[in-house]
Amino acid sequence: MSDTTALSALDQLVARSRRLGADRSVCNWGGGNTSAKSDETDFRGRRVRVLWVKGSGSDLATCTTESFTGLYLDDIAPLLERERMSDTEMVDYLAHCYFNPGRPRPSIETLLHGFLPFTHVDHTHADATNYFACAQDGEQLARECFSDALIWIPYRRPGFGLARDVALAVRAHPDAQLVILAKHGLITWGETDEVCFASTMATIGQARDFVEARITDATRPIFGGGRAAALVAERRQAIAAEVAPLLRGLVSQEKRQILHFEDGDDVLEFAGSSDAPRLTQIGAACPDHLVHTKPWPLLVDWTPDRDSAALGAALRAGVEAYVAKYRAYLDANAEQDLDPDAAQPVLRAADAASDPHPRVILIPGVGMFTTGRDSAMANVAAQLYHRAIAVMRGAEACGGFISLTDAESYTVEYWPLEQYKLKLAPPEHELARQVALVTGAAGGIGSAICRRLARDGAHVVLRNSAQDVLSPSTWM
Ligand SMILES: [Zn+2]
């Protein structure tokens, strides 16, 4: 097999993807996808054109050649002649197009890459272009920034329809250099790997400079200025430690959760701002945040001039109100057809994770808790919320932050193709979602206990001369 070209095209793509993923303001965790098209020799010795595209559920920052799937481009191109295709049809169809078997299911956004005539394509959810994508005046300002190089596509859930809209728009505007997908992300391209990367980064840089200048010129302070000043670091940590057990109990009513705490400057500025009560009600800053953060965080109704007993009461009331709101959102959308192009209505799967508790909890002056089935997933929710804060900051300088409607959020959050990503996680072990404190952990018996607990899925806090927290994966 003459795989030299194959390896170099795919290796280049992996390297470019990891470069993009290394900056989380360019690629949020698990978000975005990249592709390259190359001539390969297939199992029958035929020369064929192959689309290499990222698999569903992997992260660009850590991708390898195994994260990508090769598809016969000749099989994909004719789909553009269709007017519609259901999600199930699309997934089934793509399963027949594999260049080499055993690869991951290709990204939900595969056809976006396949339909474009460019050799290299980057699709990112970059903060700076989402300043426009998620702003009231975003389209008009993006045109000021990019003029005729820009194609603006109104919001539509990813899938066949969006891929087709983009392809037809690019065909009609052959001089365009970028596409902004409203309330979603950016598409850039190039005929070589380097040109594609340079175009992606230059586009993002241009958007960032444009919007940062507006932020600097604005007379109104960022997020409307402070409502609650941040406490000093020691006090923040002390309060977080004090309320964490209560909060963990409150959010674990249906399923036990692991908490993650952060108190970075962006979080403190946002959570304590005058605009936070309004902005936290609007929705997610990118569709793919939804399965990790839900449409809204819980902003706790408490300020540091009150005592921590009042914080406990505010957490109880806040979680209760959040659960009621989330259940109402589930009920209001229960009849929504999640695949309108399918012959039969597709409703939310009975096994879809629908725990109504908040995944992001903001405490003014103190910081942010996030939740997840393990510390890694709680950390993912936190990383995505940093992106949301950044996008809201920029979008507010572009006429005001906007997001998906509740109905649009629901069709992404409970979309079977988005839920599929969650199902890629390995099954939970017996002690998953549990935290164990082991004293004397450095000794022979102590360390053996730690290993056993970790092997069975527990998060283990080791207490000895030094303290540390290890997730099961790092310990095993
Ligand atoms: Zn996307």
Side-chain angles (χ1 to χ4, degrees), residues 21 84 102 117 123 166 172 256 271 281 284 303 322 327 336 361 363 366 378 381 394 437 446 451 463:
R84 56 180 55 83
H123 166 49
V166 170
R256 195 182 283 265
Q281 300 302 307
T303 43
Y322 188 98
R327 287 208 169 114
Q336 268 233 65
I361 300 103
I363 306 179
V366 176
L437 170 68
R451 284 175 197 284
R463 177 156 248 167

Side-chain angles (χ1 to χ4, degrees), residues 418-450:
E418 199 64 41
Q419 290 277 326
Y420 171 82
K421 294 182 189 171
L422 299 179
K423 291 180 184 158
L424 295 173
E428 292 188 359
H429 293 286
E430 190 184 348
L431 298 181
R433 299 171 180 268
Q434 307 271 357
V435 180
L437 170 68
V438 178
T439 55
I445 295 174
S447 71
I449 291 171
C450 292

Side-chain angles (χ1 to χ4, degrees), residues 20-39:
L20 292 169
D23 182 346
R24 289 309 190 189
S25 74
V26 171
C27 270
N28 55 350
W29 188 92
N33 31 71
T34 48
S35 69
K37 302 176 181 87
S38 62
D39 292 323

Side-chain angles (χ1 to χ4, degrees), residues 256-286:
R256 195 182 283 265
Q257 303 290 336
I258 300 294
L259 299 189
H260 173 93
F261 177 73
E262 287 195 15
D263 56 354
D265 291 346
D266 58 336
V267 167
L268 292 167
E269 180 185 42
F270 178 69
S273 73
S274 299
D275 290 346
R278 171 177 64 84
L279 290 169
T280 49
Q281 300 302 307
I282 293 176
C286 188

